[in-house]
């Protein structure tokens, strides 16, 4: 109804114009109650013009033609008909618009001819009729042009939507192909090597126990780590081959990670502060990967050292840190490798920050902070 309000106000304004013109025109008849009702009928037709253009066109044409016959307010009686004719042509009702225009013009001309005095030149009637004809032709053409323009804009918008959808589908298809290529490369390059390590470690453990010896802790750690690596690699390959996520790791498995690191000879202590909460899957997995990569660096580069894992849950952020007391120091700068660059990309991609630097009292600290108060 709010969208119909401008049409209703236009009808009332035109009604006031018609009644005022009828009162001022020298050759107009007195305005009676019936004439006021005709003006109100015209205003009602304009009020429903947006929703029912054909019905409004018939109402306004009939009312204005009857008002012209009864009162003869002049060419102002054609203004409401011109407005409704434009709307009807814009909505695609060309036949009804042309018919109503011809009916009104014919009735207007017939009334002018029938009441024209003998001394009045016919040239005035012809000129006024030609003027009205030009107005009606312009209204019909303007409505058709507006309709064609709207159809063109809708077609352009539809093409843009279709092009965007096609680009998205192409991007998804290329992403799927790239995922499959990466999965094949990982399978060809890593699966065989890790399988060989796992099998050899298993054989060594079996032979040691067969000869009555207890396998060394290092050998058992290699066997367990290779088995875990195979499981994670299979999960990663499944995720790459499928657009849906598999069974992603998370901070709930940090204790398992710490236990495997202890078996490899690195003492690890895990501390959790705050109230654990459900985390977004990407943040949960990224936190686990930061801990995993940091512990790998401790085992490879820190030498004889211990590690402390600290997971801190806060209402607006998650903080994960891994600190060791190894050989790193501020006097011996370390160049970031692939692992640190990968951690930084993973953390910053989620809107977080990563700090990886040597400690003042020897050792190295990796600290990652993830925001939890909204999307990155």
């Amino acid at each position: 109804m709010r969208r119909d309000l401008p049409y209703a106000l236009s009808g009332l304004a035109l009604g006031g114009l018609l009644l005022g013109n009828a009162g001022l025109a020298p050759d107009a008849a007195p305005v009676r109650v019936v004439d006021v009702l005709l003006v109100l009928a015209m205003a009602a037709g304009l009020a429903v013009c947006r929703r029912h253009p054909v019905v409004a066109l018939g109402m306004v044409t009939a009312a204005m033609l009857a008002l012209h016959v009864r009162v003869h307010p002049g060419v102002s009686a054609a203004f409401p008909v011109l407005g409704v004719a434009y709307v009807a042509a814009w909505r695609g009702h060309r036949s009804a618009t042309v018919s109503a225009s011809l009916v009104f013009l014919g009735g207007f001309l017939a009334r002018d001819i029938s009441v024209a005095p003998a001394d009045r030149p016919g040239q005035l009637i012809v000129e006024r009729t030609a003027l009205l004809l030009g107005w009606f032709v312009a209204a019909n053409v303007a409505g058709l042009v507006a309709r064609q323009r709207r159809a063109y804009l809708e077609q352009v918008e539809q093409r843009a939507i279709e092009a965007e959808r096609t680009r998205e589908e192409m991007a998804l298809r290329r992403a799927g192909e790239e995922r499959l290529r990466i999965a094949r490369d990982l399978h060809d390059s890593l699966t065989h090597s890790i399988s060989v390590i796992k099998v050899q470690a298993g054989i060594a453990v079996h032979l040691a126990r067969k000869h009555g010896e207890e396998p060394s802790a290092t050998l058992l750690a290699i066997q367990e780590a290779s088995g875990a690596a195979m499981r994670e690699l299979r999960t990663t390959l499944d995720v790459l081959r499928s657009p849906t996520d598999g069974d992603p790791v998370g901070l709930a498995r940090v204790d398992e990670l710490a236990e495997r690191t202890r078996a490899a000879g690195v003492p690890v202590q895990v501390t959790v502060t705050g109230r654990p909460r459900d985390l977004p899957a990407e943040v949960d997995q990224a936190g686990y990967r930061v801990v995993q990569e940091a512990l790998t660096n401790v085992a490879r580069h820190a030498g004889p050292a211990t590690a402390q894992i600290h997971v801190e849950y806060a209402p607006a952020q998650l903080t994960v840190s891994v600190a060791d007391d190894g050989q790193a120091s501020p006097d011996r700068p370390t160049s970031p490798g692939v692992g640190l660059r990968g951690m930084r990309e993973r953390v910053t991609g989620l809107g977080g920050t990563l700090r990886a630097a040597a400690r003042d009292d020897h050792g190295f600290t990796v600290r990652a902070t993830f925001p939890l108060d909204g999307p990155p």
Side-chain angles (χ1 to χ4, degrees):
M1 296 299 296
R2 187 175 299 175
R3 297 176 62 184
D4 292 331
L5 184 60
Y7 295 91
L9 294 178
S10 300
L12 294 177
L14 288 174
L17 175 64
L18 286 171
L19 295 177
N21 193 34
L24 296 176
D27 57 345
V31 177
R32 305 184 184 278
V33 177
V34 177
D35 305 320
V36 176
L37 294 177
L38 290 175
V39 171
L40 293 177
M42 177 272 298
L46 280 178
V48 300
C49 177
R50 182 183 65 86
R51 288 176 293 170
H52 309 287
V54 177
V55 175
L57 186 63
M59 290 177 58
V60 173
T61 302
M64 292 298 95
L65 192 58
L67 183 67
H68 180 68
V69 171
R70 288 178 51 83
V71 180
H72 194 262
V75 294
S76 59
F79 295 162
V81 185
L82 288 170
V84 182
Y86 170 80
V87 174
W90 174 51
R91 298 290 295 275
H93 305 286
R94 288 180 291 182
S95 300
T97 305
V98 173
S99 301
S101 301
L102 293 177
V103 168
F104 183 82
L105 285 173
F108 195 94
L109 179 61
R111 200 272 179 187
D112 280 0
I113 294 175
S114 62
V115 299
D119 57 346
R120 185 176 183 179
Q123 181 182 359
L124 296 177
I125 299 177
V126 173
E127 289 178 353
R128 187 160 67 172
T129 304
L131 178 63
L132 287 178
L133 178 62
W135 287 355
F136 274 97
V137 170
N140 281 264
V141 172
L144 293 177
V145 171
R147 179 175 177 80
Q148 293 295 329
R149 183 176 182 275
R150 186 181 68 171
Y152 172 75
L153 293 178
E154 291 177 352
Q155 187 178 13
V156 170
E157 183 179 1
Q158 187 63 30
R159 287 179 179 176
I161 295 174
E162 183 68 18
E164 184 67 23
R165 185 183 62 83
T166 304
R167 281 196 299 269
E168 291 178 357
E169 291 178 354
M170 186 177 299
L172 290 175
R173 184 172 66 252
R174 290 178 178 174
E177 294 173 355
E178 184 65 15
R179 288 161 70 108
L180 291 177
R181 186 190 66 79
I182 295 173
R184 288 193 299 267
D185 292 344
L186 285 176
H187 181 273
D188 295 340
S189 61
L190 295 181
T191 305
H192 176 71
S193 300
I194 297 177
S195 298
V196 171
I197 295 173
K198 183 175 181 297
V199 171
Q200 294 294 333
I203 293 174
V205 171
H206 174 71
L207 291 177
R209 289 173 177 169
K210 184 177 180 180
H211 290 89
E213 300 175 0
E214 185 63 28
S216 64
T218 304
L219 189 59
L220 292 175
I222 293 174
Q223 184 185 28
E224 184 178 355
S226 60
M230 282 296 299
R231 289 191 297 271
E232 290 193 13
L233 182 58
R234 291 194 188 99
T235 301
T236 303
L237 294 178
D238 290 339
V239 171
L240 287 174
R241 291 192 177 101
S242 174
T244 58
D245 293 336
D247 183 19
V249 294
L251 292 175
R253 298 176 60 180
V254 166
D255 290 332
E256 300 178 14
L257 187 59
E259 188 62 33
R260 290 201 301 269
T261 307
R262 294 189 192 102
V266 179
V268 179
Q269 181 182 0
V270 180
T271 304
V272 178
T273 58
R275 185 176 180 181
R277 52 183 287 192
D278 292 334
L279 300 172
E282 297 84 356
V283 174
D284 198 14
Q285 186 175 4
Y288 176 89
R289 294 302 184 190
V290 168
V291 175
Q292 183 184 42
E293 181 62 29
L295 290 178
T296 301
N297 290 338
V298 172
R300 293 176 57 188
H301 305 296
T306 60
Q308 294 84 34
I309 303 173
H310 186 197
V311 181
E312 181 182 357
Y313 293 90
Q317 69 180 19
L318 169 73
T319 303
V320 177
S321 63
V322 178
D324 66 78
D325 54 1
Q327 301 175 356
S329 68
D331 299 332
R332 299 169 56 186
T334 57
S335 58
V338 177
L340 285 177
R341 287 197 296 268
M343 279 194 291
R344 191 175 303 278
E345 292 171 358
R346 188 186 293 270
V347 173
T348 56
L350 295 173
T353 57
L354 178 76
R355 182 181 182 273
R359 300 165 57 182
D360 295 336
D361 54 349
H362 291 281
F364 201 82
T365 301
V366 175
R367 180 183 177 89
T369 303
F370 301 92
L372 300 178
D373 54 349

